[in-house]
Amino acid sequence: QVQVVESGGGLVQAGGSLRLSCAASARTFRIYPMAWFRQSPGKERELVAHIKWSGDSPSYADSVKGRFIISRDNAKNTMYLQMNSLKPEDTAVYYCAADSYSRVSSVAADYHYWGQGTQVTVSS
């Protein structure tokens, strides 16, 4: 049984902040949360950020650079996304992407395990 669970979404006003968490677990093998994606109505799922197992080389979409911070706690097998200075265009369902390989990719199809998503809505 595999579980990938996001939390922390909600409704905030523009300029506000939210902190998303993703905890990943499996009964018989390890999976690792590696990336955040988001999807808004009428758009394809897009990469928000990813981070290596070591915590090095965080990478961000241009649209969120300087505002979002991705991090991880390997002891808890948990990944975080601190979102600051939120804008209405950040409104989307945010998904945690995990895999049994501790590697990163910008391509959604490369990840084998996904959470159900957490809704982030930013009002103007």
Coordinates of all heavy atoms in Angstrom, one line a residue, residues 4-10 18 20-21 35-49 68 81 83 86-97 108 114-122:
V4 N 0.6 8.8 -0.5 CA 1.2 10.1 -0.7 C 0.2 11.1 -0.4 O -0.8 11.2 -1.0 CB 1.7 10.3 -2.2 CG1 2.4 11.6 -2.4 CG2 2.6 9.2 -2.6
V5 N 0.4 11.9 0.7 CA -0.6 12.7 1.2 C -0.1 14.2 1.4 O 0.9 14.4 2.1 CB -1.0 12.2 2.6 CG1 -2.1 13.1 3.2 CG2 -1.5 10.8 2.6
E6 N -0.8 15.1 0.7 CA -0.5 16.5 0.8 C -1.4 17.1 1.8 O -2.5 16.7 2.0 CB -0.7 17.2 -0.6 CG 0.1 16.6 -1.8 CD -0.8 15.7 -2.6 OE1 -1.8 15.1 -2.1 OE2 -0.5 15.5 -3.8
S7 N -0.9 18.2 2.4 CA -1.7 19.0 3.3 C -1.2 20.4 3.3 O -0.1 20.7 2.8 CB -1.6 18.4 4.7 OG -0.3 18.4 5.2
G8 N -2.0 21.3 3.8 CA -1.6 22.7 4.0 C -2.3 23.6 3.0 O -2.1 24.8 3.2
G9 N -3.1 23.1 2.1 CA -3.7 24.0 1.2 C -4.9 24.8 1.9 O -5.3 24.5 3.0
G10 N -5.4 25.8 1.1 CA -6.5 26.6 1.7 C -6.7 27.8 0.9 O -6.2 28.0 -0.2
L18 N 1.3 30.2 2.5 CA 0.9 28.9 2.9 C 2.1 28.0 2.9 O 3.1 28.2 2.1 CB -0.1 28.3 1.9 CG -1.6 28.9 2.0 CD1 -2.4 28.3 0.8 CD2 -2.2 28.5 3.3
L20 N 2.9 24.0 2.3 CA 2.4 22.7 2.0 C 3.3 21.6 2.5 O 4.5 21.8 2.5 CB 2.2 22.5 0.5 CG 1.4 23.6 -0.3 CD1 1.2 23.2 -1.7 CD2 0.0 23.7 0.4
S21 N 2.8 20.4 2.8 CA 3.6 19.3 3.2 C 3.1 18.1 2.4 O 2.0 18.0 2.0 CB 3.4 19.0 4.7 OG 3.8 20.1 5.5
A35 N 9.0 16.2 -5.9 CA 8.6 17.4 -6.7 C 7.2 17.8 -6.4 O 6.4 17.0 -6.0 CB 8.8 17.1 -8.2
W36 N 7.0 19.1 -6.6 CA 5.6 19.6 -6.5 C 5.2 20.0 -8.0 O 6.0 20.7 -8.7 CB 5.6 20.9 -5.6 CG 5.7 20.6 -4.2 CD1 6.8 20.7 -3.4 CD2 4.7 20.1 -3.3 NE1 6.6 20.3 -2.1 CE2 5.2 20.0 -2.0 CE3 3.3 19.9 -3.5 CZ2 4.5 19.6 -0.9 CZ3 2.6 19.5 -2.4 CH2 3.2 19.3 -1.1
F37 N 4.0 19.7 -8.3 CA 3.4 20.1 -9.5 C 2.1 20.8 -9.2 O 1.6 20.7 -8.1 CB 3.1 18.9 -10.5 CG 4.3 18.3 -11.1 CD1 5.2 17.5 -10.4 CD2 4.6 18.6 -12.5 CE1 6.3 17.0 -11.0 CE2 5.7 18.1 -13.1 CZ 6.6 17.2 -12.3
R38 N 1.5 21.5 -10.1 CA 0.2 22.1 -9.9 C -0.5 22.1 -11.2 O 0.0 22.0 -12.3 CB 0.3 23.6 -9.4 CG 0.9 24.6 -10.3 CD 1.1 25.9 -9.7 NE 1.6 26.9 -10.5 CZ 2.0 28.2 -10.2 NH1 1.9 28.5 -8.9 NH2 2.5 29.0 -11.0
Q39 N -1.9 22.2 -11.1 CA -2.7 22.2 -12.3 C -3.9 23.0 -12.0 O -4.6 22.9 -11.0 CB -3.2 20.7 -12.6 CG -3.9 20.6 -13.9 CD -4.0 19.2 -14.4 OE1 -4.0 18.3 -13.6 NE2 -4.2 19.0 -15.7
S40 N -4.1 24.0 -12.9 CA -5.3 24.9 -12.8 C -6.2 24.5 -14.0 O -5.8 23.9 -15.0 CB -4.9 26.3 -12.8 OG -4.1 26.6 -14.0
P41 N -7.5 25.0 -13.9 CA -8.4 24.6 -15.0 C -7.9 25.1 -16.4 O -7.5 26.2 -16.6 CB -9.7 25.4 -14.6 CG -9.6 25.5 -13.1 CD -8.1 25.7 -12.8
G42 N -8.0 24.2 -17.4 CA -7.6 24.5 -18.7 C -6.2 24.4 -19.0 O -5.7 24.7 -20.1
K43 N -5.4 24.1 -18.0 CA -3.9 24.0 -18.2 C -3.4 22.6 -17.9 O -4.0 21.8 -17.2 CB -3.2 25.0 -17.3 CG -3.5 26.5 -17.6 CD -2.7 27.4 -16.8 CE -2.9 28.8 -17.1 NZ -2.0 29.7 -16.3
E44 N -2.3 22.3 -18.5 CA -1.6 21.0 -18.2 C -0.9 21.1 -16.8 O -0.6 22.2 -16.3 CB -0.6 20.7 -19.3 CG -1.2 20.4 -20.7 CD -0.1 20.1 -21.7 OE1 1.1 20.3 -21.4 OE2 -0.5 19.5 -22.7
R45 N -0.7 19.9 -16.3 CA 0.0 19.9 -15.0 C 1.4 20.4 -15.3 O 2.1 19.9 -16.2 CB 0.0 18.4 -14.5 CG 0.6 18.3 -13.1 CD 0.3 16.9 -12.5 NE -1.2 16.7 -12.4 CZ -1.7 15.6 -11.8 NH1 -0.9 14.7 -11.2 NH2 -3.0 15.5 -11.8
E46 N 1.9 21.3 -14.4 CA 3.2 21.9 -14.6 C 4.0 21.8 -13.4 O 3.5 21.8 -12.2 CB 3.1 23.4 -15.0 CG 2.4 24.3 -13.9 CD 2.4 25.7 -14.3 OE1 2.9 26.1 -15.3 OE2 1.9 26.5 -13.4
L47 N 5.3 21.7 -13.6 CA 6.3 21.6 -12.5 C 6.3 22.9 -11.7 O 6.4 24.0 -12.3 CB 7.7 21.3 -13.0 CG 8.8 21.3 -11.9 CD1 8.6 20.1 -11.0 CD2 10.2 21.3 -12.6
V48 N 6.3 22.9 -10.4 CA 6.5 24.0 -9.6 C 7.9 24.1 -9.0 O 8.6 25.1 -9.1 CB 5.5 24.0 -8.4 CG1 5.7 25.2 -7.5 CG2 4.0 24.1 -8.9
A49 N 8.3 22.9 -8.5 CA 9.7 22.9 -7.9 C 10.1 21.4 -7.7 O 9.2 20.6 -7.5 CB 9.8 23.6 -6.6
F68 N 8.7 31.1 -3.6 CA 8.5 29.7 -3.1 C 9.8 29.1 -2.7 O 10.8 29.4 -3.3 CB 7.8 28.8 -4.1 CG 6.4 29.1 -4.4 CD1 5.8 30.3 -4.0 CD2 5.6 28.2 -5.2 CE1 4.5 30.6 -4.3 CE2 4.3 28.5 -5.5 CZ 3.7 29.7 -5.1
L81 N 6.7 22.8 0.8 CA 6.7 23.9 -0.1 C 6.2 25.2 0.6 O 5.0 25.3 0.9 CB 5.8 23.7 -1.4 CG 5.9 24.7 -2.5 CD1 7.3 24.8 -3.1 CD2 4.8 24.5 -3.5
M83 N 5.2 28.8 0.4 CA 4.7 29.7 -0.6 C 4.5 31.1 0.0 O 3.6 31.2 0.9 CB 3.4 29.2 -1.3 CG 3.6 27.8 -1.8 SD 2.1 27.2 -2.7 CE 0.9 27.1 -1.4
L86 N 1.8 35.1 -2.3 CA 1.0 34.4 -3.2 C 0.2 35.4 -4.1 O -0.2 36.5 -3.7 CB 0.0 33.5 -2.4 CG 0.7 32.2 -1.9 CD1 -0.2 31.6 -0.8 CD2 0.9 31.2 -3.1
K87 N 0.0 34.9 -5.3 CA -0.8 35.7 -6.3 C -2.0 34.9 -6.8 O -2.0 33.7 -6.7 CB 0.1 36.0 -7.5 CG 1.4 36.7 -7.2 CD 2.3 36.8 -8.5 CE 3.6 37.5 -8.2 NZ 4.4 37.6 -9.4
P88 N -3.0 35.6 -7.3 CA -4.2 34.8 -7.8 C -3.8 33.8 -8.8 O -4.5 32.7 -8.9 CB -5.0 36.0 -8.4 CG -4.7 37.2 -7.5 CD -3.2 37.0 -7.3
E89 N -2.8 34.0 -9.6 CA -2.4 33.1 -10.6 C -1.8 31.8 -10.1 O -1.5 30.9 -10.8 CB -1.5 33.7 -11.7 CG -0.3 34.5 -11.1 CD -0.6 36.0 -11.0 OE1 -1.7 36.4 -10.6 OE2 0.3 36.8 -11.4
D90 N -1.5 31.8 -8.8 CA -1.0 30.6 -8.1 C -2.1 29.7 -7.8 O -1.9 28.5 -7.3 CB -0.2 31.0 -6.8 CG 1.1 31.7 -7.1 OD1 1.8 31.4 -8.0 OD2 1.3 32.7 -6.3
T91 N -3.3 30.1 -7.9 CA -4.5 29.2 -7.7 C -4.4 28.0 -8.5 O -4.4 28.0 -9.7 CB -5.8 30.0 -7.9 OG1 -5.9 31.1 -7.0 CG2 -7.0 29.1 -7.7
A92 N -4.5 26.8 -7.9 CA -4.4 25.5 -8.5 C -4.5 24.4 -7.5 O -4.5 24.7 -6.3 CB -3.0 25.4 -9.3
V93 N -4.6 23.2 -8.0 CA -4.5 22.1 -7.2 C -3.0 21.7 -7.2 O -2.4 21.5 -8.3 CB -5.3 20.9 -7.7 CG1 -5.1 19.7 -6.8 CG2 -6.8 21.2 -7.6
Y94 N -2.4 21.6 -6.0 CA -1.0 21.3 -5.9 C -0.8 19.8 -5.6 O -1.4 19.3 -4.7 CB -0.3 22.1 -4.9 CG -0.1 23.5 -5.3 CD1 -1.2 24.4 -5.5 CD2 1.2 24.0 -5.6 CE1 -1.0 25.7 -6.0 CE2 1.4 25.3 -6.0 CZ 0.3 26.1 -6.2 OH 0.5 27.4 -6.7
Y95 N 0.0 19.1 -6.4 CA 0.2 17.7 -6.3 C 1.7 17.4 -5.9 O 2.6 18.0 -6.4 CB 0.0 17.0 -7.6 CG -1.5 17.1 -8.1 CD1 -1.9 18.1 -8.9 CD2 -2.4 16.2 -7.7 CE1 -3.2 18.2 -9.4 CE2 -3.7 16.2 -8.1 CZ -4.1 17.2 -9.0 OH -5.4 17.3 -9.4
C96 N 1.8 16.4 -5.0 CA 3.1 15.9 -4.6 C 3.4 14.7 -5.5 O 2.6 13.8 -5.7 CB 3.1 15.4 -3.2 SG 4.6 14.6 -2.6
A97 N 4.6 14.7 -6.1 CA 5.1 13.6 -7.0 C 6.2 12.9 -6.3 O 7.1 13.4 -5.8 CB 5.6 14.2 -8.3
A108 N 6.2 15.2 -15.5 CA 5.3 14.6 -14.6 C 5.2 13.1 -14.9 O 5.1 12.3 -13.9 CB 3.9 15.2 -14.8
W114 N 1.5 9.6 -6.9 CA 1.0 11.0 -6.8 C 0.0 11.0 -5.6 O -0.7 10.1 -5.4 CB 0.3 11.4 -8.0 CG 1.2 11.5 -9.2 CD1 1.6 10.5 -10.0 CD2 1.8 12.7 -9.7 NE1 2.5 11.1 -11.0 CE2 2.6 12.4 -10.8 CE3 1.7 14.1 -9.3 CZ2 3.3 13.4 -11.5 CZ3 2.4 15.0 -10.0 CH2 3.2 14.7 -11.1
G115 N 0.0 12.2 -5.0 CA -1.1 12.4 -4.0 C -2.3 12.9 -4.7 O -2.4 13.1 -5.9
Q116 N -3.4 13.0 -3.9 CA -4.7 13.4 -4.5 C -4.7 14.9 -4.7 O -5.6 15.4 -5.4 CB -5.8 13.0 -3.6 CG -6.1 11.5 -3.6 CD -7.3 11.1 -2.8 OE1 -7.5 11.6 -1.7 NE2 -8.2 10.3 -3.4
G117 N -3.8 15.6 -4.2 CA -3.7 17.1 -4.4 C -4.3 17.9 -3.3 O -5.2 17.4 -2.5
T118 N -3.9 19.1 -3.1 CA -4.4 20.0 -2.1 C -4.7 21.3 -2.8 O -3.9 21.8 -3.6 CB -3.5 20.2 -0.9 OG1 -4.1 21.0 0.1 CG2 -2.2 20.8 -1.3
Q119 N -5.9 21.8 -2.6 CA -6.4 23.0 -3.3 C -5.8 24.3 -2.7 O -5.9 24.5 -1.5 CB -7.9 23.1 -3.3 CG -8.5 24.4 -3.9 CD -8.3 24.4 -5.4 OE1 -8.6 23.4 -6.1 NE2 -7.8 25.5 -6.0
V120 N -5.2 25.1 -3.5 CA -4.7 26.4 -3.1 C -5.5 27.5 -3.9 O -5.5 27.5 -5.1 CB -3.2 26.6 -3.3 CG1 -2.8 28.0 -3.0 CG2 -2.4 25.6 -2.4
T121 N -6.2 28.3 -3.2 CA -6.9 29.4 -3.8 C -6.5 30.7 -3.2 O -6.5 30.9 -2.0 CB -8.4 29.2 -3.5 OG1 -8.9 28.0 -4.0 CG2 -9.2 30.3 -4.3
V122 N -6.1 31.6 -4.1 CA -5.6 32.9 -3.7 C -6.6 34.0 -4.3 O -6.8 34.1 -5.5 CB -4.2 33.2 -4.3 CG1 -3.7 34.5 -3.8 CG2 -3.2 32.1 -3.9

